[in-house]
Short mmCIF file of all heavy atoms in Angstrom, two decimals:
data_model
loop_
_atom_site.label_atom_id
_atom_site.label_comp_id
_atom_site.label_asym_id
_atom_site.label_seq_id
_atom_site.Cartn_x
_atom_site.Cartn_y
_atom_site.Cartn_z
N LYS A 260 6.05 229.11 25.25
CA LYS A 260 7.52 228.96 24.88
C LYS A 260 7.74 229.35 23.42
O LYS A 260 8.79 229.93 23.11
CB LYS A 260 7.99 227.61 25.34
CG LYS A 260 7.30 226.42 24.71
CD LYS A 260 7.66 225.07 25.40
CE LYS A 260 7.06 223.91 24.71
NZ LYS A 260 5.52 223.93 24.77
N SER A 261 7.00 228.71 22.56
CA SER A 261 7.29 228.91 21.06
C SER A 261 6.96 230.37 20.73
O SER A 261 7.62 231.00 19.84
CB SER A 261 6.43 228.03 20.22
OG SER A 261 6.86 226.65 20.26
N THR A 262 5.91 231.02 21.37
CA THR A 262 5.65 232.42 21.14
C THR A 262 6.83 233.31 21.56
O THR A 262 7.21 234.22 20.84
CB THR A 262 4.40 232.85 21.96
OG1 THR A 262 3.25 232.01 21.55
CG2 THR A 262 4.03 234.28 21.71
N THR A 263 7.47 232.95 22.74
CA THR A 263 8.66 233.68 23.11
C THR A 263 9.79 233.57 22.12
O THR A 263 10.39 234.55 21.74
CB THR A 263 9.12 233.15 24.52
OG1 THR A 263 8.02 233.26 25.46
CG2 THR A 263 10.32 233.97 24.99
N LEU A 264 9.94 232.32 21.60
CA LEU A 264 11.03 232.14 20.60
C LEU A 264 10.79 232.97 19.36
O LEU A 264 11.66 233.52 18.71
CB LEU A 264 11.18 230.65 20.26
CG LEU A 264 12.41 230.18 19.50
CD1 LEU A 264 13.59 230.17 20.47
CD2 LEU A 264 12.18 228.83 18.87
N ARG A 265 9.52 232.98 18.93
CA ARG A 265 9.13 233.63 17.77
C ARG A 265 9.22 235.17 17.91
O ARG A 265 9.54 235.92 16.96
CB ARG A 265 7.69 233.27 17.29
CG ARG A 265 7.58 231.87 16.77
CD ARG A 265 6.15 231.47 16.55
NE ARG A 265 5.61 232.20 15.43
CZ ARG A 265 5.64 231.97 14.10
NH1 ARG A 265 6.35 230.93 13.73
NH2 ARG A 265 5.11 232.73 13.26
N MET A 266 9.10 235.67 19.09
CA MET A 266 9.35 237.09 19.33
C MET A 266 10.82 237.43 19.21
O MET A 266 11.24 238.44 18.77
CB MET A 266 8.81 237.49 20.76
CG MET A 266 7.29 237.66 20.82
SD MET A 266 6.72 238.40 22.33
CE MET A 266 6.91 237.15 23.53
N ILE A 267 11.64 236.48 19.73
CA ILE A 267 13.13 236.69 19.68
C ILE A 267 13.49 236.65 18.18
O ILE A 267 14.34 237.48 17.71
CB ILE A 267 13.89 235.60 20.42
CG1 ILE A 267 13.61 235.72 21.95
CG2 ILE A 267 15.37 235.63 20.15
CD1 ILE A 267 14.06 234.50 22.75
N ALA A 268 12.89 235.81 17.39
CA ALA A 268 13.17 235.69 15.91
C ALA A 268 12.69 236.87 15.16
O ALA A 268 13.09 237.08 14.04
CB ALA A 268 12.54 234.39 15.39
N GLY A 269 11.66 237.55 15.68
CA GLY A 269 11.03 238.66 14.94
C GLY A 269 9.83 238.24 14.12
O GLY A 269 9.28 239.02 13.31
N LEU A 270 9.41 237.04 14.33
CA LEU A 270 8.25 236.50 13.58
C LEU A 270 6.88 236.86 14.40
O LEU A 270 5.80 236.73 13.79
CB LEU A 270 8.40 234.98 13.47
CG LEU A 270 9.54 234.44 12.74
CD1 LEU A 270 9.58 232.94 12.80
CD2 LEU A 270 9.65 234.97 11.38
N GLU A 271 7.03 237.27 15.62
CA GLU A 271 5.89 237.76 16.42
C GLU A 271 6.26 239.14 16.96
O GLU A 271 7.41 239.35 17.42
CB GLU A 271 5.58 236.82 17.61
CG GLU A 271 4.99 235.48 17.18
CD GLU A 271 3.55 235.46 16.94
OE1 GLU A 271 2.91 236.56 17.02
OE2 GLU A 271 2.93 234.43 16.64
N GLU A 272 5.41 240.03 16.94
CA GLU A 272 5.64 241.43 17.43
C GLU A 272 5.60 241.41 18.98
O GLU A 272 4.81 240.67 19.62
CB GLU A 272 4.54 242.36 16.90
CG GLU A 272 4.79 243.84 17.31
CD GLU A 272 3.68 244.72 16.78
OE1 GLU A 272 2.96 244.33 15.83
OE2 GLU A 272 3.50 245.84 17.33
N ILE A 273 6.51 242.09 19.57
CA ILE A 273 6.56 242.24 21.07
C ILE A 273 5.52 243.27 21.47
O ILE A 273 5.66 244.41 21.06
CB ILE A 273 7.96 242.55 21.52
CG1 ILE A 273 8.97 241.48 21.19
CG2 ILE A 273 7.95 242.88 23.06
CD1 ILE A 273 10.37 241.75 21.47
N THR A 274 4.56 242.87 22.33
CA THR A 274 3.47 243.77 22.75
C THR A 274 4.10 244.79 23.73
O THR A 274 3.80 246.08 23.62
CB THR A 274 2.36 243.08 23.39
OG1 THR A 274 1.93 242.00 22.45
CG2 THR A 274 1.09 244.06 23.59
N GLU A 275 4.79 244.37 24.70
CA GLU A 275 5.38 245.24 25.75
C GLU A 275 6.72 244.68 26.10
O GLU A 275 7.01 243.44 25.90
CB GLU A 275 4.52 245.35 26.91
CG GLU A 275 3.21 245.96 26.75
CD GLU A 275 2.39 245.89 28.06
OE1 GLU A 275 2.96 245.67 29.23
OE2 GLU A 275 1.18 246.05 27.97
N GLY A 276 7.66 245.46 26.59
CA GLY A 276 8.99 245.05 26.97
C GLY A 276 10.02 245.26 25.91
O GLY A 276 9.79 245.89 24.88
N GLU A 277 11.31 244.90 26.29
CA GLU A 277 12.41 245.18 25.39
C GLU A 277 13.25 243.85 25.19
O GLU A 277 13.42 243.04 26.03
CB GLU A 277 13.44 246.21 26.04
CG GLU A 277 12.67 247.61 26.23
CD GLU A 277 13.51 248.48 27.02
OE1 GLU A 277 14.40 248.00 27.84
OE2 GLU A 277 13.33 249.76 26.88
N LEU A 278 13.69 243.75 23.88
CA LEU A 278 14.68 242.62 23.57
C LEU A 278 15.88 243.16 23.07
O LEU A 278 15.88 243.94 22.11
CB LEU A 278 13.86 241.68 22.52
CG LEU A 278 14.85 240.63 21.82
CD1 LEU A 278 15.30 239.62 22.87
CD2 LEU A 278 14.04 240.01 20.69
N TYR A 279 17.03 242.78 23.63
CA TYR A 279 18.29 243.18 23.27
C TYR A 279 19.08 241.92 22.73
O TYR A 279 19.09 240.87 23.41
CB TYR A 279 19.14 243.79 24.37
CG TYR A 279 18.59 245.07 24.86
CD1 TYR A 279 17.59 245.19 25.81
CD2 TYR A 279 19.11 246.31 24.35
CE1 TYR A 279 17.06 246.36 26.31
CE2 TYR A 279 18.57 247.53 24.80
CZ TYR A 279 17.64 247.55 25.78
OH TYR A 279 17.12 248.79 26.18
N ILE A 280 19.78 242.09 21.56
CA ILE A 280 20.67 241.12 21.16
C ILE A 280 22.06 241.81 21.23
O ILE A 280 22.31 242.74 20.45
CB ILE A 280 20.42 240.60 19.77
CG1 ILE A 280 19.13 239.82 19.73
CG2 ILE A 280 21.61 239.67 19.27
CD1 ILE A 280 18.66 239.29 18.34
N GLY A 281 22.95 241.30 22.17
CA GLY A 281 24.16 242.16 22.49
C GLY A 281 23.70 243.42 23.11
O GLY A 281 22.83 243.33 24.04
N ASP A 282 24.13 244.54 22.66
CA ASP A 282 23.79 245.81 23.24
C ASP A 282 22.66 246.52 22.41
O ASP A 282 22.32 247.65 22.69
CB ASP A 282 24.98 246.77 23.36
CG ASP A 282 25.99 246.23 24.34
OD1 ASP A 282 25.56 245.61 25.31
OD2 ASP A 282 27.23 246.37 24.09
N ARG A 283 22.17 245.87 21.34
CA ARG A 283 21.24 246.44 20.38
C ARG A 283 19.83 246.08 20.75
O ARG A 283 19.46 244.91 20.86
CB ARG A 283 21.64 245.96 19.01
CG ARG A 283 20.79 246.69 17.93
CD ARG A 283 21.34 246.43 16.46
NE ARG A 283 21.25 245.01 16.13
CZ ARG A 283 20.82 244.57 14.94
NH1 ARG A 283 20.56 245.47 13.99
NH2 ARG A 283 20.76 243.33 14.71
N LEU A 284 18.92 247.13 20.85
CA LEU A 284 17.52 246.89 21.04
C LEU A 284 16.94 246.52 19.66
O LEU A 284 17.11 247.31 18.67
CB LEU A 284 16.87 248.24 21.54
CG LEU A 284 15.36 248.18 21.70
CD1 LEU A 284 15.03 247.22 22.87
CD2 LEU A 284 14.76 249.57 22.03
N VAL A 285 16.26 245.35 19.63
CA VAL A 285 15.87 244.78 18.30
C VAL A 285 14.33 244.68 18.19
O VAL A 285 13.90 244.05 17.27
CB VAL A 285 16.53 243.45 18.04
CG1 VAL A 285 18.06 243.62 17.89
CG2 VAL A 285 16.16 242.41 19.05
N ASN A 286 13.65 245.32 19.05
CA ASN A 286 12.10 245.19 19.08
C ASN A 286 11.61 245.43 17.60
O ASN A 286 10.65 244.75 17.12
CB ASN A 286 11.43 246.17 20.02
CG ASN A 286 11.53 245.70 21.42
OD1 ASN A 286 12.65 245.32 21.90
ND2 ASN A 286 10.53 245.82 22.20
N ASP A 287 12.07 246.54 16.98
CA ASP A 287 11.58 246.94 15.70
C ASP A 287 12.48 246.53 14.51
O ASP A 287 12.36 247.04 13.41
CB ASP A 287 11.28 248.46 15.68
CG ASP A 287 10.29 248.82 16.73
OD1 ASP A 287 9.34 248.12 16.88
OD2 ASP A 287 10.52 249.81 17.41
N VAL A 288 13.45 245.75 14.83
CA VAL A 288 14.46 245.29 13.75
C VAL A 288 13.86 244.05 12.95
O VAL A 288 13.27 243.15 13.64
CB VAL A 288 15.77 244.82 14.39
CG1 VAL A 288 16.74 244.27 13.27
CG2 VAL A 288 16.44 246.14 15.03
N ALA A 289 13.82 244.10 11.62
CA ALA A 289 13.36 242.99 10.85
C ALA A 289 14.10 241.70 11.12
O ALA A 289 15.26 241.68 11.45
CB ALA A 289 13.41 243.37 9.42
N PRO A 290 13.35 240.57 10.99
CA PRO A 290 14.03 239.25 11.23
C PRO A 290 15.31 239.03 10.52
O PRO A 290 16.29 238.52 11.12
CB PRO A 290 12.91 238.22 10.80
CG PRO A 290 11.65 238.94 10.96
CD PRO A 290 11.91 240.37 10.61
N LYS A 291 15.34 239.47 9.27
CA LYS A 291 16.59 239.27 8.44
C LYS A 291 17.75 240.05 8.95
O LYS A 291 18.89 239.69 8.64
CB LYS A 291 16.30 239.53 6.97
CG LYS A 291 16.01 240.99 6.71
CD LYS A 291 15.60 241.17 5.27
CE LYS A 291 15.28 242.65 4.92
NZ LYS A 291 16.42 243.61 5.20
N ASP A 292 17.51 241.10 9.72
CA ASP A 292 18.63 242.01 10.20
C ASP A 292 18.95 241.66 11.72
O ASP A 292 19.78 242.41 12.25
CB ASP A 292 18.19 243.40 10.02
CG ASP A 292 17.92 243.83 8.60
OD1 ASP A 292 18.64 243.33 7.70
OD2 ASP A 292 16.94 244.60 8.35
N ARG A 293 18.47 240.60 12.23
CA ARG A 293 18.73 240.26 13.63
C ARG A 293 19.87 239.40 13.82
O ARG A 293 20.37 239.14 14.90
CB ARG A 293 17.54 239.64 14.34
CG ARG A 293 16.34 240.64 14.48
CD ARG A 293 15.24 240.08 15.33
NE ARG A 293 14.11 241.04 15.42
CZ ARG A 293 13.18 241.00 16.26
NH1 ARG A 293 13.13 240.09 17.25
NH2 ARG A 293 12.15 241.96 16.23
N ASP A 294 20.44 238.83 12.73
CA ASP A 294 21.53 237.93 12.65
C ASP A 294 21.25 236.70 13.57
O ASP A 294 22.02 236.29 14.41
CB ASP A 294 22.75 238.68 13.17
CG ASP A 294 24.10 237.80 12.76
OD1 ASP A 294 23.90 236.91 11.94
OD2 ASP A 294 25.15 238.13 13.30
N ILE A 295 20.14 236.11 13.31
CA ILE A 295 19.62 234.87 14.02
C ILE A 295 19.32 233.84 12.99
O ILE A 295 19.07 234.20 11.79
CB ILE A 295 18.45 235.06 14.97
CG1 ILE A 295 17.29 235.76 14.26
CG2 ILE A 295 18.89 235.93 16.18
CD1 ILE A 295 16.27 234.81 13.74
N ALA A 296 19.41 232.55 13.34
CA ALA A 296 19.01 231.54 12.37
C ALA A 296 18.04 230.55 13.14
O ALA A 296 18.25 230.40 14.36
CB ALA A 296 20.18 230.65 11.91
N MET A 297 16.99 230.13 12.54
CA MET A 297 15.93 229.37 13.24
C MET A 297 15.73 228.00 12.54
O MET A 297 15.66 227.97 11.32
CB MET A 297 14.62 230.13 13.22
CG MET A 297 13.59 229.58 14.07
SD MET A 297 12.33 230.74 14.56
CE MET A 297 11.13 229.72 15.51
N VAL A 298 15.58 226.98 13.32
CA VAL A 298 15.28 225.65 12.84
C VAL A 298 13.89 225.32 13.33
O VAL A 298 13.61 225.28 14.51
CB VAL A 298 16.28 224.54 13.35
CG1 VAL A 298 15.91 223.21 12.88
CG2 VAL A 298 17.71 224.95 12.93
N PHE A 299 13.06 225.04 12.31
CA PHE A 299 11.62 224.83 12.68
C PHE A 299 11.30 223.36 12.86
O PHE A 299 11.99 222.42 12.47
CB PHE A 299 10.73 225.32 11.57
CG PHE A 299 10.85 226.76 11.36
CD1 PHE A 299 11.67 227.41 10.42
CD2 PHE A 299 9.93 227.61 11.99
CE1 PHE A 299 11.81 228.75 10.26
CE2 PHE A 299 10.00 229.04 11.76
CZ PHE A 299 10.95 229.61 10.97
N GLN A 300 10.14 223.15 13.54
CA GLN A 300 9.65 221.84 13.82
C GLN A 300 9.42 220.89 12.57
O GLN A 300 9.73 219.76 12.57
CB GLN A 300 8.39 221.84 14.68
CG GLN A 300 7.83 220.59 15.16
CD GLN A 300 6.47 220.73 15.90
OE1 GLN A 300 6.21 221.87 16.37
NE2 GLN A 300 5.83 219.71 16.17
N ASN A 301 8.93 221.60 11.56
CA ASN A 301 8.54 220.79 10.31
C ASN A 301 9.66 220.94 9.24
O ASN A 301 9.46 220.64 8.03
CB ASN A 301 7.25 221.31 9.75
CG ASN A 301 7.30 222.74 9.38
OD1 ASN A 301 8.28 223.42 9.58
ND2 ASN A 301 6.25 223.33 8.75
N TYR A 302 10.92 221.39 9.63
CA TYR A 302 12.06 221.47 8.78
C TYR A 302 12.02 222.63 7.79
O TYR A 302 13.00 223.25 7.50
CB TYR A 302 12.45 220.14 8.01
CG TYR A 302 12.19 218.85 8.83
CD1 TYR A 302 11.47 217.79 8.30
CD2 TYR A 302 12.64 218.74 10.15
CE1 TYR A 302 11.25 216.71 9.06
CE2 TYR A 302 12.43 217.68 10.90
CZ TYR A 302 11.77 216.56 10.32
OH TYR A 302 11.50 215.48 11.11
N ALA A 303 10.88 222.92 7.10
CA ALA A 303 10.70 223.98 6.17
C ALA A 303 11.77 224.03 5.08
O ALA A 303 12.29 225.03 4.77
CB ALA A 303 10.67 225.32 7.01
N LEU A 304 11.97 222.85 4.53
CA LEU A 304 12.89 222.78 3.36
C LEU A 304 12.19 222.99 2.13
O LEU A 304 11.04 222.74 1.92
CB LEU A 304 13.62 221.40 3.33
CG LEU A 304 14.40 220.97 4.58
CD1 LEU A 304 14.90 219.54 4.46
CD2 LEU A 304 15.54 221.92 4.83
#
């Protein structure tokens, strides 16, 4: 489950398959350009 979330965030590379945010394929889009925000287990402040 966390691996899946990290693939959505761009923190893990997707080995196979496609991820779309809206209509945009984001497999190779950098995390900072995906327009997502992530809250981590350890807060990371």
